Amino acid sequence: DGMSLRHARARSRKLQEEYARLEAEHEALLQRHQTVQDERDNLYETFEDAVNEVQQRGEVHNMALEQQLLHLDSGVAKANEHLGHIWNAGRLDPVLAKSRAEDVAKLFAMKSEDIAGLKYKVARATKAHNDFLRTVVAHMLRMGISEAEIDGMGISPMTTATSTIPAGLVVRAK
């Protein structure tokens, strides 16, 4: 009986130690769970704030664009009104006047296409220049010229809306 009592007490101590260890582990897990929940809540609030901020910026931008569009529309209406007055004052034939207006509209469309083409060419040339500079700087670094020396040479890329992808992949916006 004495031996079984000792075994029972030893087993009880082991179980109490195991229970204490599991209880401490449980408490640590609860604390970790609370920390993760707090981080999640913080991220969610930050995300919501960022979404709201982007949404507000978008709304402000849209309102500005709408005002610009209204301003441009009123300008076009005024120009058409002036044109109508000129044609009436000059007693021009309405068919001829309409034909001239269409010719002017075609001319504006062609000039807009020319401008878009030139902007595309400028973007390509700027990209090629910047790519060339990046290549030259990379070669200089490989040759042992320090970044400080390169910066002192005044080598700097032109500001552009193009990316750093290979130059042949530039596409024209439609």
Side-chain angles (χ1 to χ4, degrees):
D1 272 344
M3 190 182 251
S4 76
L5 181 60
R6 272 184 278 157
H7 285 296
R9 284 184 181 162
R11 188 165 180 246
S12 175
R13 274 193 307 270
K14 276 190 174 183
L15 287 174
Q16 285 176 349
E17 288 171 4
E18 181 69 13
Y19 178 75
R21 185 187 65 77
L22 288 174
E23 203 169 48
E25 187 178 323
H26 177 70
E27 187 61 35
L29 286 174
L30 285 176
Q31 289 176 355
R32 176 71 180 134
H33 180 271
Q34 186 61 43
T35 303
V36 169
Q37 277 186 329
D38 292 344
E39 288 175 5
R40 181 205 61 199
D41 293 344
N42 187 22
L43 285 174
Y44 186 73
E45 288 175 17
T46 305
F47 175 75
E48 280 185 339
D49 291 344
V51 167
N52 289 336
E53 182 179 338
V54 167
Q55 191 174 22
Q56 287 174 352
R57 283 185 193 169
E59 288 173 3
V60 168
H61 186 68
N62 284 343
M63 288 173 48
L65 288 175
E66 285 177 18
Q67 287 180 352
Q68 285 179 344
L69 185 60
L70 289 173
H71 178 71
L72 291 174
D73 281 344
S74 69
V76 168
K78 286 179 185 177
N80 283 337
E81 185 178 327
H82 287 303
L83 201 52
H85 289 303
I86 290 170
W87 285 329
N88 288 336
R91 300 196 198 303
L92 294 175
D93 179 25
V95 174
L96 179 64
K98 185 176 180 180
S99 171
R100 295 295 176 232
E102 289 173 358
D103 290 344
V104 169
K106 286 179 187 175
L107 181 65
F108 279 135
M110 285 181 3
K111 294 302 178 185
S112 292
E113 286 179 18
D114 290 345
I115 290 170
L118 290 172
K119 284 181 179 180
Y120 175 71
K121 287 179 181 179
V122 167
R124 282 187 60 181
T126 303
K127 172 137 183 58
H129 172 76
N130 289 346
D131 289 348
F132 173 75
L133 286 182
R134 276 192 290 281
T135 303
V136 167
V137 167
H139 283 294
M140 290 175 144
L141 289 171
R142 272 188 260 138
M143 292 172 65
I145 300 173
S146 71
E147 285 188 40
E149 289 177 287
I150 295 171
D151 290 341
M153 293 178 192
I155 298 175
S156 62
M158 301 168 98
T159 44
T160 180
T162 60
S163 66
T164 57
I165 61 173
L169 299 179
V170 175
V171 251
R172 183 182 295 209
K174 293 184 180 183

